[in-house]
Each structure stands twice: as C-alpha cells, then as structure tokens.
Amino acid sequence: MTDRYQTTVPSGVRKRLRLGKGDQIRYRTDATGRVYIEAVSDEPDPAIGAFLDLLERDMMSNPQRLRALDSDLVERLQALVGDVDVDLDVPLSADDE
C-alpha cells in the first residue's frame, strides 16, 4: 500500500475482471469482513431491464389489476417518510448501490 493508500491490482485479477487502463473498480465488504473487488460498469443491470419488461407485459395484459393507491395507504406512507428530504438527481453513494 502506498503513502496515499493506493494498491496495485495484480495481473490475474485484472484479467479476470477484464480491466484496462482507466477502468474503475469498487471494493465492497460483507458482514464477515471479507473484501470483494468488482469492475464498475456503466452498463445497466440486465435483470432490471428484464424485470421492467415483465411488469410492462403484465400491465398491458391485465390492466384490470391496476389500482390507484387508497388515501389510507398514502397517509401511512407520508407519516413514515414525510420528513425525509430526497434529491432524486443526486447519484447513490457506493454504500447505497
């Protein structure tokens, strides 16, 4: 580890993650303290796209299932999060992803 807390990614790890110069990596840890290194990708998660496609097909095939939120549920939700300030334009931190 350098004085600036930087490390070198070993060749085998770079090859396994298909990393090139200028690519970014992310470290994450689990509850046991194990550290994982992963490549940061700008590509969207394909599972999200597949899930959204499933929702769209279901809504188009079964519009009768769609219902507006009732006022009691809206009031309960507002009581839970009404004082939480959220800026939807701010990117998530690495901890929130």
Side-chain angles (χ1 to χ4, degrees), residues 46-59:
I48 293 174
F51 178 67
L52 293 175
D53 289 344
L54 170 75
L55 289 177
E56 179 183 20
R57 285 192 309 274
D58 187 60
M59 286 188 282

Side-chain angles (χ1 to χ4, degrees), residues 8-21:
T8 300
V9 179
S11 173
V13 174
R14 289 194 314 266
K15 288 177 185 174
R16 176 80 172 151
L17 295 177
R18 297 185 180 111
L19 294 172
K21 291 181 180 180

Side-chain angles (χ1 to χ4, degrees), residues 4-70:
R4 294 181 62 197
Y5 297 98
Q6 295 173 326
T7 61
T8 300
V9 179
S11 173
V13 174
R14 289 194 314 266
K15 288 177 185 174
R16 176 80 172 151
L17 295 177
R18 297 185 180 111
L19 294 172
K21 291 181 180 180
D23 287 347
Q24 294 184 352
I25 58 172
R26 174 182 311 131
Y27 293 93
R28 55 180 189 95
T29 60
D30 66 16
T32 66
R34 182 171 289 190
V35 177
Y36 298 90
I37 301 172
E38 54 193 17
V40 176
S41 172
D42 290 334
E43 296 178 22
D45 184 340
I48 293 174
F51 178 67
L52 293 175
D53 289 344
L54 170 75
L55 289 177
E56 179 183 20
R57 285 192 309 274
D58 187 60
M59 286 188 282
M60 297 299 283
S61 299
N62 303 291
Q64 73 280 4
R65 293 182 184 168
L66 298 176
R67 295 179 292 166
L69 296 176
D70 66 37

